[in-house]
Each structure stands twice: as C-alpha cells, then as structure tokens.
Amino acid sequence: MKRSKENYLDYVPIISDKHKWEEDEEGNVTIFIENKGVFNRLAQLLLNKPKVSQLHLEQIGSFIFPLIDGKASIYEIGQKVGERFGDEAEPLYPRLVEYFKMLHNYGFIEYDK
C-alpha cells in the first residue's frame, strides 16, 4: 500500500470563529479565550478565575496571525515572515509548521486543504 505524503506547507489556514481576537495600534495580537464548562465555572466562582482569558502573541506571532486569511498557504505566509524577519525567523519553515500545528491543536485555526 502506497502512503501519500501531505505537504504541510500547502495547507491554507483559516482563523476559527470560536475565538475572538484583536490587533492593537502597534500590531500586537491578543486572542480571547472563553473559559467554558463545569470546571471553569467552578474555578470562576471559587477561585475568582476570569470568564475570558487573554493570550498575547509575541512579535512574530502577531505578524503571522493577521496574514491568516483563508487564501494564503503556510508556505506563502512563510515567505512574508522571511522577508520581514530574515535570520531572526530561522529555521523558518520547521518553526512555522510547529507554530501552525500548535495554533490548530488549541483550536485557533482550521485548514482548507
């Protein structure tokens, strides 16, 4: 049986509508995560935990997140990251693939393959 290998760089990420996000005037991105469920509700009541958590992305993440438009592939986004950050982003594509896997695992993005 022949297994086909997918090229992760061809994936087209789409920001999930499960989480709201905003970009401030300096280009910093914050993702808002609603803490739902029984355990989160108990933590909110008993431990004064917030109903909404905020995830502040670092510089490169804040550059990448607005580029996720449902049209550009991970490869194309990587080209823009490379142009903007140069050696600071290296090794570019291995890091970028891991970053997108993490965004996907946390439910911040989906893929249109």
Side-chain angles (χ1 to χ4, degrees):
M1 176 184 276
K2 205 175 197 181
R3 290 180 13 180
S4 66
K5 284 191 167 186
E6 292 185 9
N7 187 346
Y8 210 83
L9 298 177
D10 291 334
Y11 285 24
V12 176
I14 303 166
I15 295 175
S16 171
D17 58 1
K18 295 177 188 173
H19 303 286
K20 293 181 177 18
W21 67 281
E22 66 181 32
E23 183 178 13
D24 68 17
E25 60 279 346
E26 295 163 1
N28 300 308
V29 171
T30 301
I31 301 173
F32 300 94
I33 305 160
E34 194 172 346
N35 299 311
K36 298 179 182 179
V38 174
F39 292 112
N40 281 319
R41 185 69 182 132
L42 285 172
Q44 291 162 12
L45 291 171
L46 300 174
L47 304 173
N48 204 26
K49 296 292 183 182
K51 288 185 180 184
V52 178
S53 297
Q54 297 180 14
L55 175 64
H56 303 281
L57 300 183
E58 40 64 54
Q59 183 183 21
I60 294 177
S62 287
F63 178 80
I64 291 170
F65 210 76
L67 297 176
I68 302 172
D69 60 2
K71 297 175 186 167
S73 69
I74 293 175
Y75 176 78
E76 293 166 329
I77 292 170
Q79 289 179 311
K80 293 176 182 177
V81 172
E83 289 171 10
R84 169 69 173 80
F85 293 98
D87 289 342
E88 185 181 345
E90 294 299 332
L92 177 58
Y93 288 106
R95 286 177 70 187
L96 195 61
V97 166
E98 288 305 312
Y99 187 72
F100 274 98
K101 284 181 180 179
M102 185 175 57
L103 290 175
H104 183 259
N105 288 340
Y106 282 110
F108 298 139
I109 63 166
E110 300 166 358
Y111 295 114
D112 183 17
K113 298 180 195 176

